[in-house]
């Protein structure tokens, strides 16, 4: 079946939730007070049980942080993958790894609502994670929205499922985290979440499971009523090993920077472990999640994040890859993998994959020189001969070469790739690198030069909204919303503007910026290449600045001056 995934109820408007969040903060200010939060329950401490950090055989919690067995801090940078609904998409884990992820959260079923993933299947998933050097978070999805969704299963049933997999999970503590149940309570009486959560944790520990346990929040994972936040200490203390991490899901409830930073910092200040177990960026009927702040705050606080989701959503707006094809990343996928604070920029592989075995230090051979197989006014498709490696080639990076430097513009797990977002009638030089699972990168291939076709739809009526999202000493983050106010689609397009105070664009998503002194020219990405009549595309960027940061005075779309409301 094709699951109706991110249409779970969000019954209150985001603006109302913002007000509630302030009230919740007052109610729980004492519940998450910073203190001597250790990876061990009070009962265990009073009984003289060794600390979790001392006895842990694999991934564990220490001083509010997720650690590997060797004590190394591990920060998840990965995605969710809907395995239970798409069991044939076994290549997905390799594709996710090739794009830089260090972890993956795998959707499973305990048989209550969907077909059960049995021991052999789960064992195979774990081996695929390990083969691709990924930390594997396994979750039961049947619990989603319990107490509000009549079809949802209980955490107790999910706990029994994990206990039934005890033999499969044994010995995998270095590689596997057990997420008891996805979003295990809806919006109906969410206070009911606490008791069954505590009971499930105790049941798993009594059965002998030693893995780090992950606990999802109520309110369909978003905890907008603050139940998990208020009861986190008591839930954490119910685990005699102290190896428990909380998971908040961030969608349209979290549409302001303040809501995001307040929630995450409350746990960090209390030394209670937390990560963003799911999050989305595209706007929905309930609001527009602030994914930029989610990712920036996670990086600042060194907290994990797992984006929803690789592919296969009923509403494909949340597909990171279209039709499970890693060469067809959506705008959401480009943001997650290649954007600021994204996976490619911040992910670090778990050190367990280098422990106890000889290090793989041999790089693949250089791929063959790329050849051009297709050209449009905004894209180029390239193909090349495969590289070889002493273990296996895991992927390829296409780089744009110029002025003695190169930058990655596309990634692929095959020997073809399409580079998008190019400017019409412009000459580019490309080359290819191969890489293996250990991160070794080959020498650069020979280069190929190609000129894009001319043309493009002339600019029509347009308006541009420009705003500064945030500033810091020496830099800032900006947003440009380009609206087509005409009656015909515009695309491909080029947006031109100028900075007056020496600002310099350092990174952009939604488009590719080139800059000469203060003059900036932006070409679209593949997912923003056409602006429909009445539609808007949004560009985000970071830039360097001095003491003054004046907004651009004018914008031109394909040469036509746009209104600046």
């Amino acid at each position: 079946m094709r699951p109706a995934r991110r249409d779970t109820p969000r019954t209150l408007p985001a603006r109302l939730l913002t007000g509630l969040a302030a009230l919740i903060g007052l109610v729980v200010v004492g519940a998450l007070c910073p203190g001597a939060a250790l990876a061990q329950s009070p009962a265990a401490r009073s009984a003289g049980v060794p600390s979790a950090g001392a006895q842990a055989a694999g991934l564990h919690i220490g001083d509010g942080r997720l650690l590997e067995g060797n004590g190394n801090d591990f920060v998840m940078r990965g995605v969710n993958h809907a395995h239970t609904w798409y069991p044939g998409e076994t290549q997905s884990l390799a594709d996710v790894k090739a794009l830089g992820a260090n972890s993956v959260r795998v959707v499973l079923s305990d048989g209550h609502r969907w077909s059960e993933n049995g021991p052999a299947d789960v064992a195979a998933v774990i081996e695929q994670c390990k083969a691709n050097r990924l930390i594997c978070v396994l979750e039961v999805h049947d619990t989603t929205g319990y107490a509000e969704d009549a079809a949802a299963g209980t955490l107790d049933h999910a706990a029994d499922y994990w206990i039934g997999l005890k033999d499969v999970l044994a010995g995998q503590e270095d590689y596997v985290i057990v997420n008891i149940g996805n979003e295990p309570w809806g919006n109906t009486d969410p206070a009911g979440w606490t008791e069954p959560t505590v009971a499930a944790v105790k049941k798993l520990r009594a059965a002998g499971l030693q893995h780090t346990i992950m606990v999802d929040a109520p309110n369909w994972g978003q905890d907008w009523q603050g139940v998990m936040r208020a009861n986190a200490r008591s839930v954490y203390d119910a685990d005699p090993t102290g190896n428990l991490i909380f998971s908040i899901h961030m969608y349209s409830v979290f549409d302001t920077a303040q809501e995001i930073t307040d929630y995450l910092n409350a746990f960090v200040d209390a030394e209670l472990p937390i990560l963003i177990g799911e999050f989305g960026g595209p706007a929905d009927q309930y609001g527009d999640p602030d994914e930029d702040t989610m990712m920036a705050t996670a990086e600042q606080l060194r907290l994990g994040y797992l984006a929803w989701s690789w592919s296969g959503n009923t509403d494909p707006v949340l597909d990171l890859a279209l039709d499970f094809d890693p060469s067809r990343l959506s705008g959401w996928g480009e943001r997650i993998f290649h954007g600021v604070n994204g996976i490619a920029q911040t992910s670090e592989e778990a050190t367990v994959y280098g422990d106890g075995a000889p290090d793989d230090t041999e790089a693949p051979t250089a791929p063959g020189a790329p050849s051009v197989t297709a050209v449009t006014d905004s894209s180029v498709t390239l193909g090349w001969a495969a590289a070889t490696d002493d273990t296996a080639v895991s992927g390829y990076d296409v780089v744009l070469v110029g002025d003695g430097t190169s930058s990655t513009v596309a990634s692929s797990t095959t020997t073809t790739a399409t580079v998008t977002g190019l400017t019409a009638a412009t000459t580019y030089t490309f080359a290819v690198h191969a890489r293996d699972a250990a991160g070794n990168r080959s020498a650069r291939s020979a280069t190929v030069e190609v000129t894009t076709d001319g043309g493009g739809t002339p600019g029509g009526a347009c308006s541009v909204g420009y705003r500064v999202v945030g500033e810091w000493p020496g830099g800032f983050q900006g947003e440009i919303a380009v609206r087509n106010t005409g009656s015909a689609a515009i695309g491909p397009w080029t947006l031109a503007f100028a900075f007056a105070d020496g600002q310099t664009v350092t990174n952009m998503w939604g488009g590719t910026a080139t800059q000469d002194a203060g003059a900036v020219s932006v070409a679209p990405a593949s997912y923003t290449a056409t602006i429909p009549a009445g539609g808007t595309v949004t560009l985000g960027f970071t830039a360097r600045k001095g003491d003054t940061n004046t907004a651009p005075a004018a914008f031109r779309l394909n040469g036509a001056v746009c209104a600046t409301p």
Side-chain angles (χ1 to χ4, degrees):
M1 66 179 289
R2 196 167 182 80
R5 189 49 202 93
R6 278 268 58 93
D7 55 356
T8 51
R10 306 286 187 268
T11 59
L12 294 183
R15 294 296 97 208
L16 174 58
L17 299 181
T18 304
L20 284 171
L23 176 61
I24 291 164
L26 293 174
V27 173
V28 303
V29 66
L32 285 180
C33 58
L38 302 176
Q40 191 180 23
S41 72
R45 288 197 296 272
S46 64
V49 177
S51 69
Q55 65 184 356
L59 290 160
H60 63 283
I61 304 300
D63 295 325
R65 305 289 302 169
L66 177 63
L67 307 175
E68 294 188 67
N70 61 4
N72 184 67
D73 203 43
F74 182 68
V75 180
M76 289 191 196
R77 289 288 180 265
V79 305
N80 288 262
H81 171 53
H83 171 74
T84 198
W85 302 307
Y86 301 99
E89 297 294 341
T90 55
Q91 177 64 27
S92 293
L93 299 187
D95 293 340
V96 166
K97 176 64 179 183
L99 287 164
N102 65 14
S103 47
V104 62
R105 181 171 178 257
V106 180
V107 177
L108 300 176
S109 172
D110 64 5
H112 176 84
R113 186 168 187 175
W114 296 286
S115 297
E116 180 179 340
N117 297 98
D121 185 31
V122 175
V125 168
I126 294 171
E127 289 309 308
Q128 289 164 10
C129 284
K130 292 167 68 175
N132 288 288
R133 305 169 73 93
L134 293 163
I135 295 301
C136 201
V137 179
L138 302 177
E139 62 103 342
V140 163
H141 216 76
D142 307 67
T143 57
T144 306
Y146 181 80
E148 185 171 351
D149 187 339
T154 65
L155 280 172
D156 187 63
H157 189 271
D160 287 340
Y161 172 74
W162 294 120
I163 293 169
L165 292 172
K166 183 178 176 181
D167 290 344
V168 170
L169 298 171
Q172 304 299 333
E173 291 85 355
D174 275 312
Y175 310 97
V176 172
I177 291 174
V178 174
N179 189 176
I180 306 177
N182 181 69
E183 301 179 1
W185 209 278
N187 290 326
T188 302
D189 187 26
W193 166 90
T194 306
E195 184 177 346
T197 299
V198 167
V201 171
K202 289 182 175 180
K203 190 172 191 176
L204 292 181
R205 294 308 187 207
L209 268 73
Q210 296 298 312
H211 306 71
T212 292
I213 290 174
M214 185 179 292
V215 171
D216 280 11
N219 294 126
W220 301 89
Q222 296 198 80
D223 200 30
W224 60 263
Q225 290 177 289
V227 171
M228 184 172 83
R229 181 174 166 177
N231 292 280
R233 174 61 63 194
S234 62
V235 173
Y236 183 82
D237 286 344
D239 183 354
T241 74
N243 293 322
L244 181 146
I245 187 168
F246 295 94
S247 173
I248 183 67
H249 293 183
M250 290 186 166
Y251 292 95
S252 52
V253 166
F254 292 92
D255 59 353
T256 70
Q258 194 70 48
E259 291 163 334
I260 295 161
T261 57
D262 282 355
Y263 195 94
L264 295 177
N265 274 293
F267 281 77
V268 171
D269 290 345
E271 296 187 27
L272 287 168
I274 191 168
L275 84 161
I276 307 174
E278 285 185 23
F279 68 107
D284 60 26
Q285 60 180 313
Y286 304 102
D288 187 0
D290 184 0
E291 70 276 15
D292 293 337
T293 298
M294 296 175 200
M295 296 167 72
T297 305
E299 180 62 12
Q300 177 193 3
L301 299 175
R302 298 291 289 160
L303 303 179
Y305 67 64
L306 299 164
W308 187 275
S309 77
W310 178 239
S311 199
N313 289 282
T314 302
D315 182 354
V317 71
L318 280 172
D319 283 356
L320 297 160
L322 305 180
D323 297 323
F324 295 92
D325 184 349
S327 69
R328 298 172 59 209
L329 294 183
S330 65
W332 175 226
E334 290 287 351
R335 175 70 187 93
I336 289 298
F337 287 106
H338 301 308
V340 175
N341 297 312
I343 286 174
Q345 188 181 93
T346 65
S347 177
E348 298 178 10
E349 186 176 85
T351 60
V352 68
Y353 291 112
D355 291 347
D359 291 335
D360 179 4
T361 59
E362 183 175 337
T365 62
S371 58
V372 179
T373 59
V375 181
T376 71
D377 53 6
S378 63
S379 67
V380 173
T381 300
L382 304 172
W384 55 87
T388 60
D389 187 59
D390 61 326
T391 55
V393 174
S394 61
Y396 297 90
D397 297 322
V398 178
V399 295
L400 177 63
V401 181
D403 297 327
T405 63
S406 64
S407 58
T408 300
V409 291
S411 297
S412 176
T413 56
T414 68
T415 55
T416 63
T418 299
V419 183
T420 59
L422 305 178
T423 302
T426 302
T427 300
Y428 296 91
T429 301
F430 298 104
V432 183
H433 293 272
R435 48 186 160 73
D436 61 22
N440 299 309
R441 201 182 197 202
S442 76
R444 197 174 76 190
S445 72
T447 61
V448 63
E449 189 174 276
V450 58
T451 301
T452 52
D453 295 340
T457 307
C462 56
S463 66
V464 173
Y466 176 93
R467 71 184 183 106
V468 173
V469 176
E471 291 190 69
W472 54 90
F476 71 102
Q477 180 177 323
E479 182 180 277
I480 304 171
V482 185
R483 181 171 177 77
N484 177 2
T485 58
S487 58
I490 299 174
W493 49 264
T494 300
L495 181 71
F497 60 92
F499 285 121
D501 301 319
Q503 301 99 318
T504 304
V505 176
T506 55
N507 201 359
M508 177 172 281
W509 50 100
T512 301
T514 56
Q515 186 166 351
D516 183 7
V520 181
S521 178
V522 179
S526 59
Y527 54 94
T528 59
T530 299
I531 312 175
T536 301
V537 298
T538 301
L539 312 171
F541 67 92
T542 55
R544 291 190 291 269
K545 69 174 184 67
D547 294 335
T548 307
N549 189 18
T550 307
F555 295 85
R556 292 178 178 269
L557 187 66
N558 286 356
V561 178
C562 298
T564 51

Short mmCIF file of all heavy atoms in Angstrom, two decimals, residues 167-204:
data_model
loop_
_atom_site.label_atom_id
_atom_site.label_comp_id
_atom_site.label_asym_id
_atom_site.label_seq_id
_atom_site.Cartn_x
_atom_site.Cartn_y
_atom_site.Cartn_z
N ASP A 167 16.80 -12.05 20.11
CA ASP A 167 17.93 -12.81 19.57
C ASP A 167 18.54 -12.12 18.36
O ASP A 167 19.76 -12.19 18.13
CB ASP A 167 17.48 -14.23 19.19
CG ASP A 167 17.17 -15.08 20.41
OD1 ASP A 167 17.58 -14.70 21.52
OD2 ASP A 167 16.51 -16.12 20.24
N VAL A 168 17.71 -11.44 17.57
CA VAL A 168 18.21 -10.71 16.40
C VAL A 168 18.99 -9.47 16.83
O VAL A 168 20.02 -9.12 16.24
CB VAL A 168 17.03 -10.30 15.48
CG1 VAL A 168 17.50 -9.35 14.39
CG2 VAL A 168 16.39 -11.54 14.88
N LEU A 169 18.51 -8.82 17.88
CA LEU A 169 19.12 -7.57 18.34
C LEU A 169 20.36 -7.79 19.19
O LEU A 169 21.22 -6.90 19.27
CB LEU A 169 18.09 -6.77 19.13
CG LEU A 169 16.83 -6.32 18.38
CD1 LEU A 169 15.82 -5.72 19.35
CD2 LEU A 169 17.18 -5.32 17.29
N ALA A 170 20.47 -8.94 19.82
CA ALA A 170 21.60 -9.21 20.72
C ALA A 170 22.93 -9.07 19.98
O ALA A 170 23.09 -9.58 18.87
CB ALA A 170 21.47 -10.60 21.32
N GLY A 171 23.85 -8.36 20.61
CA GLY A 171 25.16 -8.17 20.01
C GLY A 171 25.24 -7.01 19.03
O GLY A 171 26.31 -6.73 18.49
N GLN A 172 24.12 -6.33 18.79
CA GLN A 172 24.10 -5.22 17.83
C GLN A 172 24.07 -3.85 18.52
O GLN A 172 23.75 -2.84 17.90
CB GLN A 172 22.87 -5.35 16.91
CG GLN A 172 22.76 -6.67 16.19
CD GLN A 172 23.93 -6.93 15.26
OE1 GLN A 172 24.58 -6.00 14.77
NE2 GLN A 172 24.23 -8.21 15.01
N GLU A 173 24.42 -3.81 19.80
CA GLU A 173 24.32 -2.57 20.57
C GLU A 173 25.20 -1.45 20.02
O GLU A 173 24.92 -0.27 20.25
CB GLU A 173 24.67 -2.83 22.04
CG GLU A 173 23.64 -3.68 22.77
CD GLU A 173 23.86 -5.18 22.60
OE1 GLU A 173 24.77 -5.58 21.82
OE2 GLU A 173 23.11 -5.97 23.22
N ASP A 174 26.27 -1.79 19.33
CA ASP A 174 27.14 -0.78 18.72
C ASP A 174 26.50 -0.11 17.51
O ASP A 174 26.91 0.98 17.11
CB ASP A 174 28.46 -1.40 18.26
CG ASP A 174 29.47 -1.49 19.38
OD1 ASP A 174 29.66 -0.48 20.08
OD2 ASP A 174 30.07 -2.57 19.56
N TYR A 175 25.50 -0.77 16.92
CA TYR A 175 25.00 -0.36 15.62
C TYR A 175 23.52 0.01 15.60
O TYR A 175 23.05 0.64 14.65
CB TYR A 175 25.21 -1.49 14.60
CG TYR A 175 26.61 -2.04 14.58
CD1 TYR A 175 26.95 -3.19 15.29
CD2 TYR A 175 27.61 -1.39 13.87
CE1 TYR A 175 28.24 -3.70 15.28
CE2 TYR A 175 28.91 -1.88 13.86
CZ TYR A 175 29.22 -3.04 14.57
OH TYR A 175 30.49 -3.52 14.56
N VAL A 176 22.76 -0.43 16.61
CA VAL A 176 21.30 -0.33 16.56
C VAL A 176 20.76 0.41 17.77
O VAL A 176 21.17 0.17 18.91
CB VAL A 176 20.67 -1.74 16.50
CG1 VAL A 176 19.15 -1.66 16.65
CG2 VAL A 176 21.03 -2.43 15.19
N ILE A 177 19.81 1.32 17.53
CA ILE A 177 19.01 1.98 18.56
C ILE A 177 17.57 1.54 18.38
O ILE A 177 17.06 1.49 17.25
CB ILE A 177 19.14 3.51 18.47
CG1 ILE A 177 20.55 3.94 18.88
CG2 ILE A 177 18.08 4.21 19.34
CD1 ILE A 177 20.82 5.42 18.70
N VAL A 178 16.89 1.21 19.48
CA VAL A 178 15.51 0.74 19.44
C VAL A 178 14.57 1.90 19.75
O VAL A 178 14.55 2.40 20.88
CB VAL A 178 15.28 -0.42 20.42
CG1 VAL A 178 13.80 -0.79 20.47
CG2 VAL A 178 16.12 -1.62 20.04
N ASN A 179 13.83 2.36 18.75
CA ASN A 179 12.81 3.40 18.91
C ASN A 179 11.48 2.68 19.18
O ASN A 179 10.88 2.12 18.26
CB ASN A 179 12.75 4.22 17.63
CG ASN A 179 11.91 5.47 17.71
OD1 ASN A 179 11.86 6.24 16.76
ND2 ASN A 179 11.23 5.72 18.81
N ILE A 180 11.03 2.67 20.44
CA ILE A 180 9.95 1.76 20.85
C ILE A 180 8.73 1.88 19.94
O ILE A 180 8.22 0.90 19.42
CB ILE A 180 9.52 2.02 22.30
CG1 ILE A 180 10.71 1.96 23.25
CG2 ILE A 180 8.47 0.98 22.71
CD1 ILE A 180 10.34 2.27 24.69
N GLY A 181 8.24 3.11 19.72
CA GLY A 181 7.06 3.29 18.89
C GLY A 181 6.99 4.70 18.34
O GLY A 181 7.26 5.68 19.05
N ASN A 182 6.61 4.82 17.09
CA ASN A 182 6.52 6.12 16.44
C ASN A 182 5.32 6.92 16.96
O ASN A 182 4.21 6.40 17.06
CB ASN A 182 6.37 5.93 14.93
CG ASN A 182 6.29 7.25 14.18
OD1 ASN A 182 7.27 7.98 14.10
ND2 ASN A 182 5.12 7.57 13.65
N GLU A 183 5.56 8.19 17.31
CA GLU A 183 4.50 9.13 17.68
C GLU A 183 3.38 8.43 18.45
O GLU A 183 2.22 8.41 18.00
CB GLU A 183 3.97 9.82 16.42
CG GLU A 183 5.05 10.58 15.66
CD GLU A 183 4.57 11.26 14.39
OE1 GLU A 183 3.36 11.17 14.07
OE2 GLU A 183 5.40 11.89 13.70
N PRO A 184 3.68 7.88 19.61
CA PRO A 184 2.79 6.89 20.23
C PRO A 184 1.58 7.46 20.95
O PRO A 184 0.95 6.75 21.74
CB PRO A 184 3.72 6.20 21.22
CG PRO A 184 4.68 7.27 21.63
CD PRO A 184 4.92 8.08 20.38
N TRP A 185 1.24 8.70 20.67
CA TRP A 185 0.02 9.28 21.25
C TRP A 185 -0.39 10.46 20.38
O TRP A 185 0.46 11.23 19.91
CB TRP A 185 0.27 9.76 22.68
CG TRP A 185 -0.96 9.71 23.54
CD1 TRP A 185 -1.95 10.64 23.60
CD2 TRP A 185 -1.33 8.66 24.43
NE1 TRP A 185 -2.91 10.25 24.49
CE2 TRP A 185 -2.56 9.02 25.02
CE3 TRP A 185 -0.75 7.45 24.80
CZ2 TRP A 185 -3.22 8.23 25.95
CZ3 TRP A 185 -1.40 6.66 25.73
CH2 TRP A 185 -2.62 7.04 26.30
N GLY A 186 -1.71 10.60 20.18
CA GLY A 186 -2.22 11.72 19.40
C GLY A 186 -2.44 12.95 20.24
O GLY A 186 -1.73 13.20 21.22
N ASN A 187 -3.46 13.73 19.89
CA ASN A 187 -3.76 14.96 20.62
C ASN A 187 -4.83 14.77 21.70
O ASN A 187 -5.16 15.72 22.40
CB ASN A 187 -4.23 16.04 19.63
CG ASN A 187 -3.10 16.52 18.74
OD1 ASN A 187 -1.95 16.58 19.16
ND2 ASN A 187 -3.42 16.86 17.50
N THR A 188 -5.39 13.58 21.80
CA THR A 188 -6.43 13.31 22.80
C THR A 188 -5.79 12.92 24.12
O THR A 188 -5.13 11.88 24.21
CB THR A 188 -7.36 12.18 22.31
OG1 THR A 188 -7.95 12.55 21.07
CG2 THR A 188 -8.45 11.91 23.32
N ASP A 189 -5.97 13.76 25.14
CA ASP A 189 -5.45 13.49 26.47
C ASP A 189 -3.99 13.03 26.43
O ASP A 189 -3.65 11.93 26.89
CB ASP A 189 -6.30 12.44 27.18
CG ASP A 189 -5.90 12.24 28.64
OD1 ASP A 189 -5.35 13.19 29.23
OD2 ASP A 189 -6.11 11.12 29.17
N PRO A 190 -3.09 13.86 25.91
CA PRO A 190 -1.69 13.41 25.76
C PRO A 190 -0.99 13.11 27.07
O PRO A 190 0.04 12.45 27.07
CB PRO A 190 -1.03 14.59 25.04
CG PRO A 190 -1.90 15.76 25.35
CD PRO A 190 -3.29 15.23 25.43
N ALA A 191 -1.56 13.57 28.20
CA ALA A 191 -0.96 13.23 29.49
C ALA A 191 -0.93 11.73 29.71
O ALA A 191 -0.13 11.22 30.50
CB ALA A 191 -1.72 13.92 30.62
N GLY A 192 -1.79 11.00 28.99
CA GLY A 192 -1.80 9.54 29.09
C GLY A 192 -0.57 8.88 28.52
O GLY A 192 -0.39 7.67 28.68
N TRP A 193 0.28 9.65 27.85
CA TRP A 193 1.51 9.12 27.22
C TRP A 193 2.51 8.63 28.25
O TRP A 193 3.22 7.65 28.02
CB TRP A 193 2.12 10.23 26.37
CG TRP A 193 3.52 10.03 25.90
CD1 TRP A 193 3.93 9.44 24.74
CD2 TRP A 193 4.72 10.47 26.56
NE1 TRP A 193 5.30 9.48 24.63
CE2 TRP A 193 5.81 10.10 25.75
CE3 TRP A 193 4.98 11.13 27.76
CZ2 TRP A 193 7.13 10.38 26.09
CZ3 TRP A 193 6.30 11.41 28.12
CH2 TRP A 193 7.35 11.03 27.29
N THR A 194 2.61 9.29 29.38
CA THR A 194 3.74 9.07 30.30
C THR A 194 3.76 7.66 30.87
O THR A 194 4.79 6.96 30.82
CB THR A 194 3.72 10.10 31.43
OG1 THR A 194 3.68 11.42 30.86
CG2 THR A 194 4.94 9.96 32.31
N GLU A 195 2.66 7.21 31.43
CA GLU A 195 2.65 5.91 32.12
C GLU A 195 2.97 4.74 31.20
O GLU A 195 3.85 3.91 31.54
CB GLU A 195 1.28 5.71 32.80
CG GLU A 195 1.22 4.42 33.61
CD GLU A 195 -0.11 4.26 34.34
OE1 GLU A 195 -0.86 5.26 34.43
OE2 GLU A 195 -0.40 3.14 34.81
N PRO A 196 2.34 4.62 30.00
CA PRO A 196 2.71 3.49 29.13
C PRO A 196 4.13 3.61 28.58
O PRO A 196 4.75 2.59 28.27
CB PRO A 196 1.67 3.54 28.01
CG PRO A 196 1.07 4.90 28.07
CD PRO A 196 1.17 5.36 29.48
N THR A 197 4.65 4.82 28.46
CA THR A 197 6.04 4.97 28.02
C THR A 197 6.99 4.42 29.07
O THR A 197 7.92 3.66 28.76
CB THR A 197 6.35 6.45 27.72
OG1 THR A 197 5.48 6.92 26.69
CG2 THR A 197 7.79 6.63 27.28
N VAL A 198 6.77 4.80 30.31
CA VAL A 198 7.59 4.28 31.40
C VAL A 198 7.48 2.76 31.48
O VAL A 198 8.48 2.04 31.63
CB VAL A 198 7.17 4.92 32.74
CG1 VAL A 198 7.78 4.17 33.92
CG2 VAL A 198 7.59 6.39 32.78
N ALA A 199 6.25 2.24 31.36
CA ALA A 199 6.04 0.79 31.45
C ALA A 199 6.77 0.05 30.34
O ALA A 199 7.35 -1.02 30.56
CB ALA A 199 4.55 0.49 31.41
N ALA A 200 6.75 0.62 29.12
CA ALA A 200 7.42 -0.04 27.99
C ALA A 200 8.93 -0.07 28.19
O ALA A 200 9.59 -1.07 27.90
CB ALA A 200 7.05 0.67 26.69
N VAL A 201 9.48 1.03 28.68
CA VAL A 201 10.92 1.08 28.94
C VAL A 201 11.30 0.02 29.97
O VAL A 201 12.26 -0.75 29.79
CB VAL A 201 11.33 2.49 29.43
CG1 VAL A 201 12.78 2.48 29.92
CG2 VAL A 201 11.16 3.52 28.31
N LYS A 202 10.56 -0.05 31.06
CA LYS A 202 10.86 -1.03 32.12
C LYS A 202 10.72 -2.46 31.60
O LYS A 202 11.50 -3.35 31.95
CB LYS A 202 9.95 -0.80 33.31
CG LYS A 202 10.25 0.48 34.09
CD LYS A 202 9.33 0.62 35.30
CE LYS A 202 9.70 1.81 36.15
NZ LYS A 202 8.80 1.96 37.32
N LYS A 203 9.73 -2.68 30.74
CA LYS A 203 9.50 -4.02 30.21
C LYS A 203 10.67 -4.47 29.34
O LYS A 203 11.12 -5.63 29.42
CB LYS A 203 8.21 -4.02 29.40
CG LYS A 203 7.72 -5.41 28.99
CD LYS A 203 6.33 -5.33 28.37
CE LYS A 203 5.70 -6.70 28.21
NZ LYS A 203 4.32 -6.65 27.70
N LEU A 204 11.19 -3.58 28.52
CA LEU A 204 12.33 -3.92 27.67
C LEU A 204 13.57 -4.20 28.50
O LEU A 204 14.33 -5.14 28.22
CB LEU A 204 12.60 -2.79 26.68
CG LEU A 204 11.55 -2.57 25.59
CD1 LEU A 204 11.95 -1.43 24.67
CD2 LEU A 204 11.30 -3.84 24.79
#
